[in-house]
Amino acid sequence: MNDWEKIGRLSRAEHKKMQDGKLRDFIAHQIYAFSPYYRALFDKHKINPDRIRTVEDLRYIPFTSKNDFISTAEAPRSSKDFILQPNE
């Protein structure tokens, strides 16, 4: 049985638990760790990435609009801050 078949056989509760775990890991170890934009956003709003534990917790993260992507004279790197940057 491949991984997709195993996932397809999970109960609703098991699927939710797996989904929440993947989200928790992604927020803490990818988004907060490597995204300058989201690290600054979380810090500005005093959001501890470890507190985003379930899909429902996404409501605590402010919405991002297309204006956040636009580079300006004051913030020329705005669009690049959305790119995950594991190295300087």
Side-chain angles (χ1 to χ4, degrees), residues 2-88:
N2 66 38
D3 289 341
W4 288 111
E5 290 172 324
K6 290 176 188 173
I7 291 170
R9 294 174 191 259
L10 293 176
S11 70
R12 184 179 215 99
E14 292 169 321
H15 190 268
K16 174 93 170 80
K17 183 179 177 181
M18 182 187 72
Q19 185 181 41
D20 288 340
K22 297 276 187 191
L23 174 66
R24 186 170 44 252
D25 183 63
F26 185 67
I27 294 289
H29 299 110
Q30 298 293 319
I31 297 297
Y32 188 78
F34 300 123
S35 171
Y37 175 82
Y38 283 104
R39 186 179 322 110
L41 182 73
F42 277 43
D43 292 348
K44 176 182 175 183
H45 293 277
K46 296 178 177 44
I47 301 168
N48 180 340
D50 294 330
R51 304 243 5 240
I52 307 297
R53 305 192 61 74
T54 67
V55 171
E56 291 79 18
D57 292 338
L58 291 173
R59 67 180 174 216
Y60 300 118
I61 302 172
F63 278 105
T64 301
S65 74
K66 68 179 180 179
N67 288 335
D68 296 319
F69 288 89
I70 298 171
S71 296
T72 63
E74 298 83 30
R77 291 187 39 89
S78 290
S79 60
K80 292 182 180 164
D81 285 346
F82 283 89
I83 299 169
L84 297 183
Q85 301 174 23
N87 298 316
E88 285 292 322

